[in-house]
Amino acid sequence: MKHILAAIATVLALGAMFIVYQSDKEVNKVEEISKMIAKTEVKVQLDTAPTAAQEAAVETMSKAEIEQEQAKKKKELDEKLQALKNKAGNVAAFSVSPLYKQKCSSCHGVNGEGIIGPKLIGLSAEKVYKDLEEFKSGTRKNYVMYGLLSKMDESQMKELSDEIGSFEQKLKEQQQ
Ligand code: HEC
């Protein structure tokens, strides 16, 4: 009789432990799920305030879909930003010579602010001339600059150097 009671007690104890273990797991799951929800909420909030319709849609969206949607929005924003930048890049603060505009501005910017090529504004005329000489002679190797300068005569190089050397001053005058 004692043995049977002991056995029943053991079974009950084991059962209780099992239930506790299970519910612990449930708690963990609930925690995990709420963490996931919190994460997606943060992401959605970052992405400018959603409209009511978007909010309703988000509820039925899977994580992958949400990510896709966000990537799309980011791309749209980036494109708008790029368009603005391009626009800004094309608005000159001061006017430049046709020679600079034609030959140099596409890479160095309308006012030497730099695009593909480095920023030129702020360089002295002497430094620019020295750079151009070096590119032309091949002492400083750059295929693009070499190609451009190989057909350019000294007087044009000098003109451009002097002009670029005056960019910073021109910009300052413009900003006053
Ligand atoms: C197709 C693009 C392109 C065009 C057009 C171009 N450049 Fe460049 N330029 C570059 C690149 C790229 C470099 C960087 C080369 C390097 O550091 O080796 C550079 C470097 C320079 C530098 C050296 C700047 C520094 O701080 O080291 C000067 C000066 C320069 N260019 C002047 C000019 C002038 C003047 C013109 C117009 C005649 C011109 N560039 C046209 C692409 C261009």
Side-chain angles (χ1 to χ4, degrees), residues 103-104 107-108 118 120 131 135 140 142 144-145 148 160 164:
K103 303 256 182 184
C104 321
C107 294
H108 291 283
L120 299 179
D131 286 341
F135 283 129
R140 186 168 164 186
N142 183 269
V144 175
M145 290 301 301
L148 262 164
L160 280 169
I164 293 166

Side-chain angles (χ1 to χ4, degrees), residues 58-81:
V58 165
E59 273 176 23
T60 56
M61 273 181 180
S62 72
K63 209 175 155 212
E65 280 173 328
I66 291 174
E67 266 164 15
Q68 215 179 1
E69 190 66 29
Q70 281 170 346
K72 209 176 97 187
K73 273 199 199 144
K74 187 172 179 303
K75 209 175 141 223
E76 282 172 14
L77 275 177
D78 283 352
E79 275 167 9
K80 273 187 206 160
L81 195 67

Side-chain angles (χ1 to χ4, degrees), residues 85-86 88-97 99-121 160 163-164 167:
K85 277 187 189 161
N86 289 346
N90 287 327
V91 178
F94 51 86
S95 56
V96 295
S97 68
L99 184 63
Y100 177 84
K101 201 171 197 168
Q102 206 185 0
K103 303 256 182 184
C104 321
S105 70
S106 55
C107 294
H108 291 283
V110 281
N111 284 160
E113 67 277 17
I115 309 174
I116 308 163
K119 181 178 162 189
L120 299 179
I121 199 160
L160 280 169
E163 183 181 359
I164 293 166
F167 276 1

Side-chain angles (χ1 to χ4, degrees), residues 2 17 22 26-27 32 40 47 53-54 63-64 67 69 79 82 87 91 96 100 103 112 114 117 158 173-174:
K2 253 189 187 169
M17 275 162 74
Q22 280 296 319
E26 289 302 320
V27 168
E32 254 171 41
T40 45
D47 200 328
Q54 277 172 331
K63 209 175 155 212
E67 266 164 15
E69 190 66 29
E79 275 167 9
Q82 193 53 53
K87 217 173 158 187
V91 178
V96 295
Y100 177 84
K103 303 256 182 184
K158 190 84 183 64
E173 281 165 14
Q174 200 52 239

Side-chain angles (χ1 to χ4, degrees), residues 144-155:
V144 175
M145 290 301 301
Y146 173 79
L148 262 164
L149 297 170
S150 61
K151 291 162 254 149
M152 196 176 280
D153 57 50
E154 293 290 316
S155 65

